Amino acid sequence: MIQRIQTVYLFLAFVCSGVLPFVFPLWKDVAGKEFYFMMNMLFAVLFGLSTTLCLVSILGYKKRQNQFVMNRLNMILNVILLGLFVYHSLNLSGETKVSEKGIGMFLPIVSIVLLVLANKAIKKDEDLVKSVDRLR
C-alpha cells in the first residue's frame, strides 16, 4: 500500500536529502562564496546514502519491519551528517572559512523528524496488523 501516510513522510525525507541539498548551500565562506554538499566527497556520499535508503524504504512498503530498520539506519546516517556539519562549523577558528551558515545545514534535522514520523506510522500499522491477527 503505497498510499499510506508513512510513504508521504518518506517521500518528504527523500526530497530533503536528495533534492533540497542541490538548492540550498551548506554555508558561505568569508569571500561570500556558497559551499554546496557536492564540494566535499564525504557529504555527497552521505547525502547519497540517505537518499538511497529513503527510496529503498519507500519501495519496500510490503515489509514493514525492514522499512522500520532502514529508517532507523537513515536516522543514524543523518545524525552523523549533522555531527559532521557541526564539527566542521565549530572546529574552524574564528572566521577563517565559515562565515554564514546556510539552510542546507539544517536539512538533516528535518529529515530526522520526518523519519521519526514515518517510523511512528509504521509502528501503528504493525500494531494494527497484529491486533487483526489476534482476532483470527
Side-chain angles (χ1 to χ4, degrees), residues 38-111:
M38 27 210 176
M39 295 177 179
N40 187 336
M41 185 60 103
L42 181 62
F43 296 158
V45 167
L46 290 177
F47 268 120
L49 283 174
S50 178
T51 305
T52 305
L53 276 175
C54 280
L55 189 62
V56 169
S57 184
I58 289 172
L59 297 177
Y61 61 91
K62 290 183 181 180
K63 298 178 180 178
R64 286 178 299 277
Q65 289 297 339
N66 289 345
Q67 199 176 26
F68 192 81
V69 170
M70 281 189 279
N71 288 347
R72 286 279 173 105
L73 289 173
N74 201 351
M75 280 188 261
I76 292 169
L77 188 67
N78 279 309
V79 167
I80 291 170
L81 191 59
L82 184 64
L84 285 172
F85 289 161
V86 169
Y87 174 76
H88 193 277
S89 67
L90 294 178
N91 193 27
L92 300 172
S93 59
E95 290 284 325
T96 56
K97 291 199 181 187
V98 177
S99 166
E100 178 182 328
K101 294 172 187 70
I103 295 174
M105 285 187 76
F106 302 107
L107 289 176
I109 296 172
V110 175
S111 185

Side-chain angles (χ1 to χ4, degrees), residues 1-11 55-64 67 118 121-122 124-126 128-129 132:
M1 296 244 236
I2 212 156
Q3 71 270 17
R4 296 180 300 182
I5 189 67
Q6 59 261 30
T7 306
V8 173
Y9 292 139
L10 287 171
F11 179 74
L55 189 62
V56 169
S57 184
I58 289 172
L59 297 177
Y61 61 91
K62 290 183 181 180
K63 298 178 180 178
R64 286 178 299 277
Q67 199 176 26
I122 291 168
K124 190 176 178 183
D125 277 357
E126 191 65 31
L128 180 66
V129 168
V132 170

